[in-house]
Amino acid sequence: MIEPGQLQVSHQYTKASGNKIYIETYGCQMNFNDSEVVVAIMQKEGFAVTKDITEADLILVNTCSIRDNAEQRVLGRLRELRAIKRKKPALKVGVIGCMAERMKEQLLEKEKAVDLIAGPDAYRDLPVLVAKTGTGMRAANVILSHEETYADINPVRLDENHVTAFISIMRGCENFCAYCVVPYTRGGERSRDPETIVNEARNLFDAGYREVTLLGQNVNSYLWKSSTGANITFPKLIELVALVDPKLRVRFATSHPKDLSDDLLRTMARYKNICRNIHLPAQSGSNNILQAMKRGYTREWYLQRIAAIKHYMPECTISTDLIAGFCGETEQDHQQTLSLMREVGYDSAFMFKYSQRPGTYAADNLTDDVPEDVKSRRLTEIIDLQNTLSAENKKKDIGKTFEVLVEAVSKKSKNELYGRTSQNSVVVFPKMNFNPGDYVMVEITGCTQATLKGKVVE
Ligand code: 5AD
Ligand code: SF4
C-alpha cells in the first residue's frame, strides 16, 4: 500500500510519462465488466484506452484463477510481456483481478515483468498504484472489502456491438463450494444499490443498448436492505430492470440451484423481456459428489427446480456447468452426471476437468484421486453427450419462428446478420435492411453445430 506522502510526487511523474492503457481480460463475464469499471476509473484520472498494445504506457492484465490452466495462460502471457518490456523499459505492467489476489507474493517475487498488483476490490486505488510505479517502485493492493460494489462508477463499455451490456449487481461469494477459489479471491458477498442498477440499465437503453445481463456469482441471493426497511430481493430487482422498457431484454448469471426460487420464476414468466434461458450449474449428477462438493442440494432437488422452470416457462432453455473427475468420483458417479444431462436435456453447457485450487476445502481435506487420463476420458464423454443433446435441441427449433435481437453483421458474410433468441440461441439470417439493435422475426430453416439459420418473416 502507498503512503499518502508519496502520492503527489509520483502522480505527477506518471502523468508526464504517458497515459495510454491497454487492458486485456481473461475469465468470466464479471471480469469483463470489471475491466470496464477499471477503464472508467482510469479515464477519470486522465488516462486513455488504446486498442493498440504497441502504443501502451501501461498494460493491465485482468486475470482469472478458477482453474490452473487459466493461471498458466496468464503466466505465459507475462513472459511475453517481459520480452516487450525489454525493448520498451518505460512500459509498466499491472496484474489485476483474481490472480493478483491469490498470488500476490509469488507474482512480486517471480514475475519480473509485473510492476503493479491490484485485487478485485482495489480498483479505485489503481491511479495511486500506477503513480507509485512511476517512481520505479512496485505497488500492490489486494485488500478485500465488505462494501465495495463500484456502484457509483459508470463502466466505459468495451463491447464491440453496442447492443448487449453487462451490469454487475453484486460481488463476491460465500457459498464456499469445496473446489472453488472464488470466495477467496473475490471475498464476501455484497449487493449493489438497486437504484444505481436501474439507472445504469436506463442509461444503456437510452444509448441504444437492447440487452443487459445482470451479473453476480449467485444472483439469487441478491439482497438490498433499503433505509425505509423494505428489502429488495432478486425477483424484485429484475422486475425493476424489466420495467425500464419492454424493448430492453434482461438476462442474468449465475443462479445457484439451492436458491432458485419460484418467486423468481413467476416474475420471469410475467415479463416477456426477461429472457427464457436459465444458466443453472449442476456440477455433478451424483449425490455423493454434490455432497463432497458442498453444493447444498441433491440431484432430486436440482431436478425438481428444473421441473419448476418448465412448469412456469415451458419454452425456457437451460444451460449448465459440469465438472469431471472431482475428488472421489467413481465411474458410477460419472454415469449419474451423464444421466442427469440426458434427463434435463441441456441446451448448452460449460464442461471442465476438476482442477485442484490451493486453499480451497477440497485441496486441504480431500484427495485429488481421479487420474488425469480418467478425468480426460470422462470429460470427453460429457462433451460428446452435450454435443448430441445440443444438436437434438437445435433440430427441434427448425420450423419455429423466434424474435431475434440483432447483435452484429455475421463474421462469415457481410450479407448476413447474427443475433440471439430469448432462449439464447444464436441465429444467422439474411441482412436485408436490418441493423444491430433491431428485433426481427425469423423462421428457423436449418442449423449447424453452434448456430441456427433462418429467414425473415413479416
Ligand atoms: N475445477 C474445475 N472447474 C471449476 N469450476 C470452478 N472451480 C473449478 C475447479 N476448481 C467451474 C464450475 C463453475 C465454473 C465457473 O467453473 O463449474 O460453475
Ligand atoms: Fe464458486 Fe460455488 Fe461461489 Fe459459484 S457458488 S463462485 S462455484 S463458491
Side-chain angles (χ1 to χ4, degrees):
M1 282 289 293
I2 192 155
E3 258 77 71
Q6 295 172 322
L7 179 71
Q8 284 195 343
V9 178
S10 44
H11 200 63
Q12 283 164 7
Y13 179 95
T14 306
K15 287 272 167 67
S17 70
N19 67 351
K20 288 214 172 93
I21 316 172
Y22 180 87
I23 186 161
E24 50 188 48
T25 308
Y26 295 80
C28 62
Q29 296 166 331
M30 185 77 101
N31 255 15
F32 184 80
N33 189 230
D34 278 2
S35 290
E36 298 182 322
V37 166
V38 165
V39 170
I41 290 169
M42 300 306 277
Q43 277 192 355
K44 219 168 150 210
E45 288 295 316
F47 289 84
V49 186
T50 173
K51 285 187 174 177
D52 179 358
I53 195 167
T54 62
E55 276 190 352
D57 304 298
L58 168 66
I59 298 172
L60 292 177
V61 188
N62 194 355
T63 60
C64 171
S65 285
I66 198 95
R67 283 168 290 278
D68 183 58
N69 55 10
E71 290 188 345
Q72 293 307 325
R73 253 182 89 198
V74 168
L75 294 175
R77 181 66 178 142
L78 290 179
R79 281 189 284 277
E80 287 169 15
L81 294 180
R82 195 173 168 193
I84 298 178
K85 272 185 82 168
R86 274 200 207 101
K87 291 184 205 133
K88 191 176 171 182
L91 175 70
K92 303 291 177 198
V93 171
V95 174
I96 65 174
C98 287
M99 273 175 82
E101 195 65 47
R102 198 186 83 68
M103 301 171 68
K104 177 190 157 196
E105 277 83 20
Q106 193 182 327
L107 289 171
L108 286 176
E109 258 167 44
K110 293 198 184 147
E111 299 300 326
K112 299 283 177 278
V114 178
D115 301 287
L116 172 169
I117 285 181
D121 288 342
Y123 297 149
R124 285 181 204 270
D125 204 23
L126 269 170
V128 171
L129 296 171
V130 174
K132 193 173 180 185
T133 66
T135 64
M137 298 167 84
R138 300 169 98 192
N141 182 353
V142 291
I143 296 173
L144 288 171
S145 150
H146 293 294
E147 285 93 34
E148 182 63 273
T149 59
Y150 301 109
D152 56 313
I153 291 173
N154 232 331
V156 172
R157 300 293 161 186
L158 300 174
D159 64 90
E160 305 264 302
N161 62 35
H162 306 300
V163 176
T164 62
F166 297 118
I167 302 182
S168 294
I169 63 163
M170 59 196 298
R171 299 181 72 82
C173 181
E174 283 166 18
N175 285 315
F176 291 97
C177 298
Y179 50 80
C180 186
V181 78
V182 168
Y184 307 94
T185 58
R186 285 189 164 268
E189 191 177 293
R190 59 227 108 112
S191 295
R192 175 177 167 191
D193 183 341
E195 209 179 306
T196 66
I197 297 169
V198 175
N199 283 343
E200 194 171 322
R202 191 171 296 121
N203 290 340
L204 283 164
F205 185 78
D206 291 344
Y209 283 81
R210 290 295 173 262
E211 183 182 294
V212 292
T213 302
L214 307 182
L215 292 180
Q217 306 297 341
N218 181 9
V219 289
N220 301 105
S221 63
Y222 175 89
L223 183 64
W224 179 261
K225 295 187 177 117
S226 75
S227 48
T228 59
N231 284 348
I232 305 273
T233 58
F234 185 60
K236 185 68 199 160
L237 175 75
I238 201 167
E239 178 167 38
L240 293 172
V241 178
L243 285 168
V244 164
D245 197 288
K247 287 271 178 219
L248 181 69
R249 278 188 176 177
V250 188
R251 299 186 187 276
F252 56 93
T254 293
S255 288
H256 194 299
K258 74 178 167 56
D259 300 317
L260 182 80
S261 68
D262 282 41
D263 193 12
L264 173 65
L265 299 176
R266 280 192 290 267
T267 306
M268 289 178 74
R270 274 206 305 278
Y271 292 92
K272 211 177 129 244
N273 57 328
I274 304 181
C275 289
R276 296 327 194 212
N277 169 253
I278 295 184
H279 187 67
L280 200 64
Q283 314 298 2
S284 168
S286 151
N287 278 336
N288 288 340
I289 297 300
L290 288 172
Q291 195 174 16
M293 286 176 164
K294 294 181 172 289
R295 285 291 285 172
Y297 56 85
T298 59
R299 175 190 176 101
E300 292 72 27
W301 168 274
Y302 184 89
L303 285 170
Q304 181 258 332
R305 292 292 74 207
I306 298 292
I309 296 171
K310 294 288 179 194
H311 168 73
Y312 291 107
M313 293 169 289
E315 73 284 23
C316 190
T317 56
I318 295 158
S319 50
T320 201
D321 293 347
L322 295 163
I323 299 177
F326 185 63
C327 310
E329 188 187 75
T330 63
E331 212 48 44
Q332 227 180 0
D333 294 320
H334 169 59
Q335 289 301 325
Q336 292 267 299
T337 296
L338 297 173
S339 89
L340 181 82
M341 293 172 70
R342 284 190 210 98
E343 205 161 333
V344 178
Y346 291 113
D347 290 271
S348 66
F350 295 109
M351 300 154 284
F352 313 103
K353 265 192 274 188
Y354 170 59
S355 161
Q356 190 180 63
R357 304 283 59 220
T360 57
Y361 179 88
D364 292 344
N365 299 280
L366 305 175
T367 314
D368 184 10
D369 52 2
V370 178
E372 191 55 32
D373 59 329
V374 177
K375 279 186 192 172
S376 296
R377 194 251 306 148
R378 289 182 188 166
L379 179 64
T380 304
E381 288 176 10
I382 290 173
I383 292 172
D384 287 348
L385 174 56
Q386 187 52 49
N387 285 341
T388 307
L389 294 173
S390 301
E392 282 171 13
N393 286 325
K394 286 218 161 53
K395 284 208 187 89
K396 283 189 207 149
D397 285 340
I398 295 174
K400 292 186 192 161
T401 298
F402 292 93
E403 185 182 61
V404 175
L405 171 61
V406 181
E407 289 183 17
V409 174
S410 158
K411 285 182 191 97
K412 288 197 184 129
S413 156
K414 62 179 188 331
N415 300 320
E416 290 184 316
L417 294 172
Y418 83 87
R420 276 167 212 273
T421 64
S422 170
Q423 286 78 359
N424 209 26
S425 300
V426 174
V427 183
V428 175
F429 61 96
K431 184 172 183 310
M432 297 161 71
N433 287 324
F434 297 107
N435 291 301
D438 288 346
Y439 285 100
V440 185
M441 296 307 291
V442 179
E443 184 189 322
I444 306 306
T445 52
C447 59
T448 62
Q449 209 185 6
T451 324
L452 297 173
K453 292 241 165 204
K455 63 174 189 209
V456 177
V457 291
E458 295 311 320

